[in-house]
């Protein structure tokens, strides 16, 4: 009797992604696969590809650093704070989730 | 059962004439078992030869006689054209290892060859072999030859040449046909183990085959007698004597006529170079940067599973070094599990790896659907929130607030910080003077600083009816949304919010009925009890993502018939029955019942109390009697709230719509222990003082807040600050003098130590918004206020007068001053 007759909620992943995209200060959101091909992006293709390529290398390096120190450890999240904005990367073997936010806005 | 006799016999005397050759075949064959091809050489007949260099090969067999027949045979053999029969070499495993000839001999050119061969082979290793071979060929005894061939070449089948030279020689030497004739005949006879021609059928496979195993005679392959003898053994004396004799002999040898040094020439085996051609071996260089974790991963992968995983690991590793590599097909079914000591849950097995697909679309879709992606999104959202709300959250957690380096700092924020610093300084100064600080001395009064509010689209327009913290996770908050009035009923919502994400709730439980009460369980902190306006109680498991309640009371025959105004999980000592502390859910509802719900198989309900109407005109207690002449519509009094005594969970207070507060006990479900009369309207909330257990607080629709003492049934202190209904009151967890009250228009913070006439802080609501609930945060100085627009605002209490350590339990005396008799 609870929950009957109420509208179905969209799948969680889509919802969360939309919310992230619409957050205050978020400049761009990208999901890129392991080859650098964008799966989802709110920026134009060239920017996306550029970000993807550069961040991929950086993530590899960061992960390598973390694991060299302790092989049982692994990289889970990467945040780069710059003067203008903050780039947040959630790396994985299959994809990269990149969000660029301007926190002061 | 090879057919070879197993006992290696020395080669018997060779028959002289070719006639006898065939008889001797068996003898020759006896040589065969020696697996080495070369062995047979020495054992086979080496007769006298025309050439001298074969002298060393003299075998025990007397072959000399055969030499005489040589020339004849030779001529004979020469005339016979070569007939080649294919001979196959099959090794023990049945694999065809027939060597292919390097040199294809022209059959008509055979005559000249032997001489050439003979001459050419001088000094080469094979000469012996060849010459002896040719010798054999030239002998009358073809049987020998055949046998020789066989034995030479090892296994039972005739092999043309295991050494390719023999092949060439075989062709070159003139007797091929002759030899082959014999050979073929011998082939028929000799070959005991031939490749089976018939195809093995299924029936054959299923036939039982008898295999008889017998023990062979002991074969001695090696015997090395010892050169040392123990001194204590029997032979010791003999050995010592022998040794001594030998020593004397050696000494005598010099100059002795018996011993003459003489030279002997030994024949050295002539080595031969053999060249072999093969395909070019293709070499490839492959390099990889190996790092500590790379090695670790590889070893781990090997331990965990089989090769496919390793391959995929290597693949991914090599891939890592080459960014722009093309997509490699993934190995099926392998999951790479990484050991990670990081607390995060992000290293979950990747579900995607079960697909081998070159289809990009498919993979990207699967990425989007994967669990890991969901997790990542979740964390990402939290991180974003943290960025946005960092100062507020830090203030909430009472951490030093991060100062943004940019010039565009929000103005109010900057002010706030300055204020804080100022007041801190002042506070310090004052502390030195006296312990007690009054608010007038500090320049900035105590105030509520609004940090943020929990709200989203879903909750807009709904009325916040209840708030509850999670008992184990201090960041998790349950909020129930539902309207109080019957006419205003809309859909209801119960949400779990996390401090870390103020913009979207973690869990959303929707229902068509308004939510009137929420509470988290103590023993099982993942259970959330939700009470609805229609009397239902549902229990949700917040750990799972499902929207379906774990338990529901809608089917229970004893469910409430009116709105459930309050829910609380109580841990009760069941000392009498011998059980340990058991947790029960207590609910009070407008149908006048206080019920206890126990989770066994379903929700079991027992009534703790039925609230009966009491008449107020006569101060009767536990009135079951009705005054004559009053016709009451129902004898039940709707219950609005309850509060269990913090120390003694058997005692609780219940507030009714009549305005009475009854003190009840779980042991009695008919009678009240006491009734506190003071309110004129429904009592909306009762709260025990967390420090002083005799004092409790109540608020009511009659605009009033009353403080009671447990022993006295008349109010101790009453407050009527406004002409609005007071919906909620709560004691502060930090001080026994501070409480918060929410009425329709404003939130008030009272500090009884400071003043009993005026609230310390007053926060006025925006017009149109009513404040409906208050809740203190336990560890921090924050207050949550829910309003009728679906927002739960978080306020920070600033500049609160410092709490006194002493006198916490002594609130009454402190307030009263000299002790009155009340």
């Amino acid at each position: 009797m609870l929950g009957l007759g109420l509208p179905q909620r969209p799948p969680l992943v889509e919802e969360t992604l939309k919310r992230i995209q619409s957050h205050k200060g978020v400049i761009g959101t990208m999901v890129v696969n392991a080859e650098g091909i964008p799966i989802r992006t709110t920026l134009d293709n060239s920017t996306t590809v550029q970000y993807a390529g550069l961040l991929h290398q950086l993530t590899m390096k960061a992960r390598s650093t973390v694991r060299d120190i302790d092989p049982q450890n692994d990289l889970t999240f990467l945040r780069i704070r710059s003067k203008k904005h903050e780039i947040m990367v959630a790396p994985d073997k299959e994809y990269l989730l990149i969000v660029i936010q301007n926190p002061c806005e | 059962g090879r057919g070879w006799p197993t006992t290696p016999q020395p080669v018997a005397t060779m028959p002289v004439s070719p006639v006898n050759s065939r008889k001797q075949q068996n003898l020759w064959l006896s040589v065969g078992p020696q697996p080495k091809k070369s062995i047979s050489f020495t054992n086979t007949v080496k007769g006298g030869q025309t050439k001298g260099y074969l002298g060393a090969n003299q075998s025990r067999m007397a072959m000399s006689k055969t030499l005489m027949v040589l020339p004849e045979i030779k001529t004979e053999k020469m005339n016979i054209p070569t007939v080649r029969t294919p001979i196959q070499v099959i090794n023990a495993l049945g694999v065809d290892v027939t060597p292919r000839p390097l040199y294809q001999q022209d059959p008509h050119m055979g005559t000249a060859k032997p001489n050439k061969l003979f001459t050419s082979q001088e000094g080469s290793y094979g000469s012996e072999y060849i010459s002896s071979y040719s010798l054999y060929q030239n002998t009358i005894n073809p049987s020998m030859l055949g046998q020789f061939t066989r034995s030479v070449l090892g296994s039972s089948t005739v092999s043309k040449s295991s050494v390719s030279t023999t092949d060439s020689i075989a062709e070159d030497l003139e007797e091929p046909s002759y030899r082959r004739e014999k050979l073929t005949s011998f082939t028929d006879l000799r070959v005991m183990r031939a490749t089976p021609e018939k195809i093995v059928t299924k029936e054959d496979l299923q036939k039982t085959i008898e295999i008889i195993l017998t023990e062979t005679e002991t074969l001695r392959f090696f015997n090395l007698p010892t050169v040392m003898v123990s001194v204590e053994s029997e032979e010791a004396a003999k050995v010592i004597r022998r040794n001594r004799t030998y020593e004397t002999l050696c000494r005598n040898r010099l100059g002795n006529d018996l011993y003459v040094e003489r030279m002997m020439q030994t024949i050295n085996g002539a080595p031969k170079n053999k060249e072999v051609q093969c395909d070019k071996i293709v070499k490839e260089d492959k390099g990889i940067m190996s790092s500590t974790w790379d090695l670790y991963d590889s070893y781990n992968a090997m331990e965990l599973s089989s090769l496919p995983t390793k391959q995929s690991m290597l693949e991914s590793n090599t891939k890592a070094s080459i960014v722009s590599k093309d997509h490699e097909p993934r190995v099926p079914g392998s999951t790479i599990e990484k050991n990670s000591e990081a607390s995060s849950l992000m290293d979950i097995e990747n579900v995607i790896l079960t697909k081998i697909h070159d289809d990009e679309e498919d993979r990207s879709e699967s990425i989007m659907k994967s669990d890991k992606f969901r997790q990542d999104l979740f964390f990402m959202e939290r991180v974003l929130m943290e960025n946005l709300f960092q100062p507020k959250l830090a203030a909430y957690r009472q951490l030093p607030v991060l100062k943004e380096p940019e010039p565009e700092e929000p103005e109010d924020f900057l002010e706030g910080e300055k204020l804080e610093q100022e007041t801190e300084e002042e506070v310090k100064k004052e502390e030195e003077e006296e312990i007690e600080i009054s608010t007038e001395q500090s320049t900035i009064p105590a105030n509520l600083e609004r940090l943020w509010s929990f709200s989203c689209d879903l909750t807009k327009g709904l009325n916040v009816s209840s708030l509850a913290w999670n008992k184990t996770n201090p960041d998790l908050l349950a909020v129930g949304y539902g309207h109080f009035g019957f006419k205003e009923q809309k859909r209801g919502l119960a949400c779990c919010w996390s401090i870390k994400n103020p913009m979207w709730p973690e869990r959303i439980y929707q229902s068509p009925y308004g939510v009137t009460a929420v509470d988290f369980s103590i023993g099982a902190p993942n259970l959330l009890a939700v009470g609805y306006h229609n009397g239902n109680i549902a229990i949700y498991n917040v750990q799972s993502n499902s929207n379906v309640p774990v338990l529901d009371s809608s089917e229970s025959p004893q469910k409430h018939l009116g709105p459930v105004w309050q829910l609380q999980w109580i841990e009760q000592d069941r000392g009498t029955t011998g059980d340990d502390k058991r947790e029960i859910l207590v609910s009070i509802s407008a149908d006048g019942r206080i019920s206890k719900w126990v989770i066994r198989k379903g929700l079991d309900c027992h009534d703790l109390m039925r609230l009966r109407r009491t008449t107020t005109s006569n101060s009767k207690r536990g009135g079951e009697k009705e005054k004559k002449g009053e016709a009451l519509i129902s004898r039940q009094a709707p219950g609005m709230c309850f509060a269990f005594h913090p120390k003694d969970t058997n005692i609780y207070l219940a507030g009714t719509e009549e305005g009475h507060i009854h003190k009840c006990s779980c042991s009695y479900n008919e009678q009240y222990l006491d009734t506190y009369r003071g309110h004129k309207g429904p009592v909306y909330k009762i709260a025990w003082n967390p420090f002083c257990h005799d004092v409790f607080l109540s608020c009511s629709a009659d605009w009033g807040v009353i403080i009671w003492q447990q022993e006295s049934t008349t109010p101790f202190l009453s407050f009527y600050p406004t002409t609005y209904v007071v919906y909620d009151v709560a004691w502060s967890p930090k001080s026994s003098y501070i409480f918060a009250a929410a009425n329709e228009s404003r939130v008030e913070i009272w500090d009884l130590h400071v003043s009993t006439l005026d609230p310390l802080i007053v926060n006025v609501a925006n017009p149109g918004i009513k404040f409906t609930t208050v809740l203190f945060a336990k560890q921090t100085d924050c207050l949550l206020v829910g309003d009728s627009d679906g927002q739960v605002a978080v306020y920070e209490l600033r500049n609160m007068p410092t709490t006194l350590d002493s006198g916490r339990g002594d609130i009454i005396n402190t307030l009263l001053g000299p002790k009155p008799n009340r």
Side-chain angles (χ1 to χ4, degrees):
Chain A
M1 87 164 203
L2 298 160
L4 288 177
L6 294 171
Q8 281 287 68
R9 287 184 30 236
L12 203 58
V13 166
E14 287 296 333
E15 225 180 82
T16 317
L17 198 53
K18 275 204 200 90
R19 278 208 308 276
I20 290 179
Q21 283 168 357
S22 55
H23 267 314
K24 187 176 79 160
V26 171
I27 296 169
T29 309
M30 291 175 257
V31 182
V32 182
N33 74 355
E35 283 95 45
I37 299 166
I39 302 173
R40 281 292 168 93
T41 174
T42 56
L43 303 171
D44 56 277
N45 198 43
S46 57
T47 318
T48 307
V49 169
Q50 188 185 27
Y51 266 105
L54 295 167
L55 286 171
H56 188 80
Q57 294 174 29
L58 186 62
T59 315
M60 284 301 135
K61 190 70 185 169
R63 176 178 270 141
S64 180
T65 309
V66 168
R67 296 206 74 200
D68 269 340
I69 295 168
D70 177 8
Q72 289 184 330
N73 206 350
D74 195 16
L75 181 70
T76 52
F77 207 83
L78 188 63
R79 284 167 82 164
I80 305 159
R81 192 62 174 270
S82 74
K83 269 203 266 180
K84 291 192 185 164
H85 29 252
E86 177 161 356
I87 304 170
M88 289 160 279
V89 181
D92 184 72
K93 278 203 144 32
E94 290 272 316
Y95 59 86
L96 279 179
L97 170 63
I98 303 164
V99 175
I100 306 154
Q101 186 194 21
N102 188 352
C104 319
E105 219 182 275
Chain B
R2 273 189 180 192
W4 301 104
T6 52
T7 48
Q9 298 164 4
V11 183
T13 49
M14 269 292 299
V16 176
S17 63
V19 182
N20 296 332
S21 61
R22 275 167 226 214
K23 293 183 204 161
Q24 299 306 318
Q25 287 164 15
N26 287 330
L27 289 170
W28 278 101
L29 290 175
S30 68
V31 177
Q34 324 277 336
K36 296 281 188 285
K37 303 169 190 126
S38 52
I39 297 172
S40 47
F41 276 131
T42 52
N43 284 339
T44 51
V45 176
K46 294 181 175 143
Q49 50 253 305
T50 47
K51 309 284 171 167
Y53 58 83
L54 293 174
N57 283 338
Q58 292 208 5
S59 75
R60 290 165 255 167
M61 305 277 268
M63 268 293 288
S64 44
K65 291 180 197 155
T66 59
L67 282 170
M68 296 188 289
V69 197
L70 229 156
E72 295 163 5
I73 292 170
K74 211 172 193 171
T75 43
E76 270 180 39
K77 287 174 185 171
M78 279 183 210
N79 296 333
I80 295 164
T82 52
V83 171
R84 288 205 58 170
T85 46
I87 295 175
Q88 279 185 314
V89 181
I90 298 174
N91 72 4
L93 298 170
V95 178
D96 186 83
V97 291
T98 313
R100 282 171 297 185
L102 285 178
Y103 174 62
Q104 296 295 327
Q105 166 64 19
D106 187 350
H108 297 293
M109 294 283 289
T111 17
K113 296 294 174 64
N115 297 330
K116 207 167 61 165
L117 274 169
F118 270 120
T119 48
S120 65
Q121 297 311 323
E122 262 187 54
S124 64
Y125 169 72
S127 65
E128 217 179 323
Y129 178 76
I130 295 158
S131 40
S132 49
Y133 190 92
S134 59
L135 180 68
Y136 301 142
Q137 287 187 332
N138 291 335
T139 59
I140 304 157
N141 198 340
S143 67
M144 285 195 310
L145 177 67
Q147 291 159 357
F148 168 69
T149 329
R150 283 229 176 36
S151 51
V152 162
L153 302 169
S155 334
S156 50
T157 54
V158 175
S159 58
K160 189 145 85 151
S161 55
S162 49
V163 180
S164 50
T165 49
T166 50
D167 195 0
S168 48
I169 295 158
E171 305 207 53
D172 292 339
L173 303 171
E174 300 91 44
E175 309 77 12
S177 56
Y178 183 64
R179 180 172 64 86
R180 287 201 208 304
E181 266 180 44
K182 297 294 170 198
L183 279 175
T184 43
S185 60
F186 293 148
T187 314
D188 300 332
L189 295 164
R190 290 286 178 250
V191 178
M192 309 301 289
R193 180 172 57 106
T195 1
E197 282 117 17
K198 64 178 185 122
I199 300 160
V200 180
T201 59
K202 231 186 180 164
E203 294 78 27
D204 288 336
L205 287 174
Q206 301 197 341
K207 254 195 298 186
T208 25
I209 301 170
E210 268 188 32
I211 300 175
I212 300 166
L213 303 172
T214 54
E215 194 185 323
T216 64
E217 293 185 18
T218 316
L219 305 166
R220 285 208 176 74
F221 292 110
F222 187 70
N223 187 15
L224 179 68
T226 157
V227 298
M228 309 257 270
V229 169
S230 161
V231 177
E232 293 154 14
S233 77
E234 303 118 12
E235 307 151 343
K238 263 193 283 173
V239 171
I240 292 169
R241 223 185 310 121
R242 269 218 320 265
N243 286 352
R244 256 191 240 116
T245 343
Y246 183 72
E247 277 167 31
T248 45
L249 180 72
C250 288
R251 266 185 270 119
N252 294 338
R253 211 158 63 142
L254 294 168
N256 198 329
D257 282 337
L258 288 172
Y259 296 94
V260 176
E261 276 194 24
R262 205 168 89 188
M263 310 277 195
M264 282 266 302
Q265 187 174 20
T266 56
I267 302 278
N268 295 324
K272 181 185 175 182
N273 283 337
K274 184 95 187 113
E275 278 140 21
V276 174
Q277 266 185 343
C278 72
D279 285 335
K280 182 176 177 199
I281 298 168
V282 179
K283 290 188 205 167
E284 222 179 83
D285 277 335
K286 195 149 192 177
I288 177 172
M289 283 291 289
S290 173
S291 47
T292 331
W293 50 269
D294 203 346
L295 295 169
Y296 177 84
D297 279 344
S298 311
Y299 283 129
N300 248 21
M302 278 196 318
E303 282 170 13
L304 284 176
S305 65
S306 60
L307 202 52
T309 312
K310 193 174 170 201
Q311 280 173 356
S312 64
M313 295 281 305
L314 286 172
E315 268 183 74
S316 54
N317 285 337
T318 51
K319 205 172 171 190
S321 50
I322 307 161
V323 176
S324 57
K325 197 169 181 183
D326 284 335
H327 166 61
E328 290 172 276
R330 295 263 169 192
V331 181
S334 64
T335 50
I336 302 164
E337 202 159 3
K338 292 184 243 166
N339 289 330
S340 167
E341 290 175 71
S343 61
S344 94
L345 304 161
M346 288 168 84
D347 284 343
I348 303 170
E349 272 185 14
N350 202 330
V351 181
I352 308 168
L353 285 179
T354 52
K355 278 192 185 174
I356 329 163
H357 254 271
D358 280 319
D359 195 354
E360 293 277 325
E361 269 182 26
D362 222 0
R363 277 182 64 236
S364 61
E365 274 312 301
S366 53
I367 288 174
M368 298 295 284
K369 291 194 188 110
S370 75
D371 274 346
K372 182 118 189 326
F373 189 66
R374 198 150 40 87
Q375 276 282 334
D376 282 345
L377 278 176
F378 178 69
F379 286 128
M380 183 67 79
E381 198 180 359
R382 289 230 170 148
V383 170
L384 283 176
M385 290 305 156
E386 190 191 329
N387 271 340
L388 291 173
F389 289 98
Q390 205 276 342
K392 315 289 173 67
L393 289 175
Y396 177 82
R397 298 200 196 278
Q398 306 188 310
L399 294 170
V401 180
L402 180 73
K403 255 201 286 193
E404 298 278 336
E406 297 93 338
E408 319 102 319
E409 263 177 278
E411 283 299 323
D412 51 339
F413 167 62
L414 188 59
E415 272 180 25
E417 218 194 31
K418 279 195 198 145
L419 288 173
E420 208 175 349
Q421 284 172 347
E422 282 171 19
T423 50
E424 274 176 12
E425 286 164 9
E426 285 170 5
V427 161
K428 276 183 206 151
K429 271 191 239 154
E430 287 166 15
E431 262 191 287
E432 287 161 3
E433 292 168 357
E434 40 181 2
I435 305 167
E436 218 172 296
I437 300 166
S438 56
T439 46
E440 289 90 44
Q441 285 189 14
S442 60
T443 51
I444 311 293
N447 63 329
L448 284 181
E449 168 93 8
R450 187 189 164 110
L451 295 176
W452 74 86
S453 77
F454 291 108
S455 72
C456 66
D457 289 336
L458 273 184
T459 63
K460 215 161 167 51
L462 297 177
N463 180 42
V464 176
S465 59
S466 54
L467 299 167
W469 286 109
N470 186 299
K471 305 292 190 285
T472 45
N473 181 356
D475 288 341
L476 199 57
L477 175 72
V479 181
Y481 300 87
H483 286 267
F484 292 139
F486 183 75
K487 285 189 202 154
E488 305 154 349
Q489 282 306 301
K490 279 195 234 176
R491 61 185 175 88
L493 200 61
C495 291
C496 289
W497 292 86
S498 167
I499 300 286
K500 295 173 189 162
N501 186 350
M503 290 186 67
W504 191 260
E506 305 296 319
R507 299 279 184 268
I508 301 173
Y509 302 115
Q510 302 204 357
S511 91
Y513 303 99
V515 173
T516 48
V518 287
D519 195 27
F520 270 107
S521 161
I522 306 166
N526 57 321
L527 293 180
L528 174 68
V530 183
Y532 293 94
H533 201 270
N534 68 339
N536 267 352
I537 296 172
I539 296 182
Y540 288 94
N541 179 5
V542 297
Q543 272 179 346
S544 76
N545 268 327
S546 94
N547 281 342
V548 178
V550 172
L551 285 172
D552 203 332
S553 83
S554 50
E555 303 300 319
S556 163
Q558 289 150 327
K559 65 176 183 179
H560 286 297
L561 302 165
V564 178
W565 290 116
Q566 186 161 347
L567 280 176
Q568 199 173 347
W569 294 85
I570 306 287
E571 272 186 338
Q572 257 194 344
D573 297 314
R574 300 244 117 224
T576 49
T577 56
D579 291 336
D580 281 338
K581 267 196 180 185
R582 212 163 21 127
E583 206 181 13
I584 53 171
L585 177 65
V586 180
S587 65
I588 188 167
S589 121
D591 64 355
R593 283 165 41 216
I594 301 178
S595 316
K596 165 180 92 170
W597 301 81
V598 179
I599 298 174
R600 288 213 180 91
K601 282 179 192 166
L603 274 178
D604 281 340
C605 174
H606 297 279
D607 276 352
L608 283 180
M609 173 65 67
R610 289 178 166 270
L611 297 165
R612 292 177 198 283
R613 283 191 184 276
T614 58
T615 50
T616 52
S617 50
N618 314 340
S619 52
K620 271 189 188 155
R621 289 194 183 183
E624 286 172 71
K625 300 180 200 168
E626 289 166 27
K627 205 185 171 190
K628 279 187 191 168
E630 269 190 43
L632 295 169
I633 295 171
S634 108
R635 293 187 65 206
Q636 304 287 89
M640 300 299 297
C641 55
F642 65 93
F644 273 76
H645 194 277
K647 286 285 165 178
D648 182 4
T649 53
N650 241 354
I651 308 287
Y652 61 92
L653 296 166
T656 66
E657 212 179 37
E658 299 174 304
H660 301 143
I661 300 172
H662 303 291
K663 180 154 96 170
C664 323
S665 161
C666 293
S667 336
Y668 308 106
N669 64 349
E670 291 284 326
Q671 273 197 327
Y672 309 129
L673 298 178
D674 233 334
T675 307
Y676 301 87
R677 297 161 206 268
H679 281 298
K680 309 281 182 300
V683 179
Y684 283 142
K685 189 72 184 286
I686 305 177
W688 287 95
N689 190 312
F691 301 102
C692 180
H693 298 305
D694 280 334
V695 176
F696 61 91
L697 186 61
S698 67
C699 74
S700 145
D702 67 356
W703 314 333
V705 175
I706 298 181
I707 297 184
W708 307 81
Q709 234 189 320
Q710 202 186 62
E711 291 88 30
S712 155
T713 55
T714 46
F716 182 66
L717 275 178
S718 344
F719 308 92
Y720 293 89
T722 57
T723 56
Y724 292 105
V725 175
V726 184
Y727 282 114
D728 206 354
V729 277
W731 288 102
S732 160
K734 302 225 165 166
S735 161
S736 64
Y737 295 100
I738 300 175
F739 66 90
N743 60 39
E744 278 171 318
S745 62
R746 56 196 211 176
V747 173
E748 298 161 354
I749 311 284
W750 293 79
D751 188 341
L752 296 174
H753 214 269
V754 170
S755 156
T756 56
L757 297 173
D758 284 317
L760 180 64
I761 306 169
V762 172
N763 195 1
V764 184
N766 296 331
I769 310 275
K770 296 184 213 171
F771 289 125
T772 53
T773 44
V774 276
L775 185 68
F776 274 95
K778 293 208 177 66
Q779 306 297 333
T780 74
D781 277 333
C782 290
L783 179 70
L784 275 73
V785 180
D787 63 20
S788 61
D789 198 29
Q791 293 204 16
V792 177
V794 180
Y795 292 93
E796 192 195 354
L797 297 163
R798 288 164 167 254
N799 309 319
M800 296 295 289
T802 47
T803 58
L804 293 171
D805 287 329
S806 68
R808 271 196 176 155
D810 221 6
I811 172 176
I812 302 297
N813 293 341
T814 324
L815 287 170
L816 294 174
K819 190 168 179 194
N821 269 335
R822 295 191 70 132

